[in-house]
Amino acid sequence: MVCVRRELRFASLIVADKLPPAIVVLLTIVGCSNEDGRNAASNSSGDSPAAVAKTTVPVGTGFDFYVLSLSWSPTWCGANDPKGKSDQCEAGNDHGLIVHGLWPQNENGYPGYCATRQPDRVPESLGRQYFDLIPSMGLIGHQWRKHGSCSGLSQRDYFAVTRAARERVSIPPELASGGRRDLAVSAIEAAFAAKNPGMTRETIAVTCEGMLLEEIRICFDKELNFRACPEVDRQACRRDTVLLPAAP
């Protein structure tokens, strides 16, 4: 409708000034292009959907950066629930890497169990929205009390940021759930860095429990850009190779 109105306006001018028909077409196109250009300008930043989403992530306070901890579920289940009584460890669930938590971190040390006006208990109606990431209400509640309470965010925003952080990370095929196998720690770090633009080996720390893979820890700034974290890296596994036990 904008183009039609402009065409009519330009046509009236042409009648008055006796402009050639070719100019009529040119003016009509220019008029429509200006309107379309203005609409396109609001979406012309060149950002990918993920980059646009970064600007809408709630920004926490009271800490320096985040650590996203991804736990190799079969290792945890073997030590803590070998009979598979929990949702996380039940046979057939085939969990590989799950979200252990999103941890507010300082350059030295980290805060824990912070005072907040938010309730200690995470409502099941909220927690179950994140079972695809953290398949246990017990773990969800623990992560909120110990770590989320120190984020400066509400429960809802903290778990929304947790999901956003997890969605920033692509899991390399080497770390997909499957059979028992050995992997070099350096190969795990290299695979993550290759799969995730902007991630470097200084961004990631692999931890182990004895010879077993325990966790992959990935560091983000408060806006969920990958960043280096030397102190976290110093806590990494010192083995050259780790074993990935299979899911039950």
Side-chain angles (χ1 to χ4, degrees):
M1 292 301 294
V2 173
C3 293
V4 171
R5 286 197 301 270
R6 286 184 173 178
E7 184 175 344
L8 290 173
R9 185 171 69 251
F10 289 132
S12 65
L13 292 173
I14 292 160
V15 170
D17 296 335
K18 309 297 185 185
L19 292 177
I23 303 299
V24 175
V25 175
L26 178 60
L27 288 174
T28 302
I29 292 173
V30 169
C32 294
S33 297
N34 284 344
E35 182 66 23
D36 292 343
R38 186 171 68 248
N39 290 338
S42 62
N43 294 314
S44 64
S45 63
D47 290 335
S48 65
V52 171
K54 287 181 183 180
T55 65
T56 63
V57 171
V59 177
T61 58
F63 61 97
D64 295 327
F65 63 97
Y66 287 117
V67 174
L68 177 68
S69 175
L70 302 176
S71 171
W72 185 251
S73 188
T75 298
W76 188 91
C77 291
N80 297 280
D81 185 13
K83 295 183 178 181
K85 295 181 178 180
S86 65
D87 291 335
Q88 177 180 342
C89 303
E90 184 179 4
N93 279 347
D94 198 31
H95 290 304
L97 286 171
I98 67 162
V99 173
H100 182 175
L102 182 69
W103 304 340
Q105 194 89 7
N106 293 323
E107 298 297 345
N108 294 291
Y110 62 89
Y113 298 104
C114 298
T116 174
R117 293 182 179 180
Q118 292 284 300
D120 284 345
R121 180 180 174 276
V122 177
E124 191 162 342
S125 59
L126 175 60
R128 285 193 170 273
Q129 296 177 35
Y130 295 90
F131 263 31
D132 58 320
L133 305 181
I134 312 174
S136 163
M137 279 303 301
L139 180 55
I140 286 171
H142 174 72
Q143 290 304 303
W144 164 254
R145 289 186 293 275
K146 184 174 182 180
H147 300 288
S149 63
C150 301
S151 66
L153 301 172
S154 67
Q155 287 184 355
R156 190 168 298 278
D157 282 350
Y158 169 71
F159 287 109
V161 175
T162 300
R163 181 178 293 284
R166 173 61 185 84
E167 290 177 351
R168 296 279 191 267
V169 178
S170 294
I171 304 298
E174 294 89 334
L175 272 292
S177 58
R180 180 184 176 99
R181 60 203 183 278
D182 293 316
L183 285 176
V185 170
S186 60
I188 293 173
E189 294 176 343
F192 269 91
K195 188 74 171 176
N196 294 276
M199 184 185 292
T200 67
R201 294 178 64 173
E202 289 71 33
T203 305
I204 182 171
V206 177
T207 71
C208 53
E209 187 175 301
M211 62 185 297
L212 304 180
L213 173 65
E214 181 185 31
E215 292 181 350
I216 309 293
R217 296 176 179 173
I218 300 167
C219 299
F220 296 89
D221 66 21
K222 292 181 183 180
E223 295 181 346
L224 300 187
N225 302 297
F226 296 125
R227 59 152 284 173
C229 43
E231 185 186 40
V232 175
D233 192 51
R234 283 194 290 271
Q235 300 168 7
C237 183
R238 297 307 171 198
R239 298 180 60 87
D240 292 332
T241 303
V242 290
L243 172 65
L244 282 66

